[in-house]
Amino acid sequence: MELNEKLKALRQERGMTQEQVAAKLYVSRTAVSKWETGGGSPNLDLLQALARLFEVSVDELR
């Protein structure tokens, strides 16, 4: 499973919207959408923040 698929699955499992994820990470909803569709990737700081948010390791996201 690719990063974009993992992010979307984790978000949906936790019942969160893209807007909620974006607000917690101080990014735009568009950024979250791009990550989930494979149109871009979060930088290392945001990848770490996503791991903390979803309570998984960075390695699990990769």
Side-chain angles (χ1 to χ4, degrees):
M1 188 182 285
E2 298 292 324
L3 171 65
N4 62 312
E5 297 167 320
K6 290 178 187 177
L7 289 176
K8 185 173 184 177
L10 286 166
R11 178 181 60 77
Q12 291 176 332
E13 285 171 14
R14 284 154 178 80
M16 297 177 76
T17 65
Q18 288 181 344
E19 290 84 1
Q20 290 170 320
V21 172
K24 289 187 180 292
L25 298 179
Y26 304 102
V27 298
S28 67
R29 187 209 54 83
T30 305
V32 176
S33 176
K34 285 182 180 180
W35 300 340
E36 289 186 1
T37 59
S41 297
N43 64 30
L44 182 58
D45 288 340
L46 288 170
L47 193 62
Q48 292 170 332
L50 284 162
R52 285 190 301 273
L53 177 64
F54 294 133
E55 299 176 330
V56 297
S57 69
V58 171
D59 287 339
E60 287 178 82
L61 291 177
R62 292 184 177 174

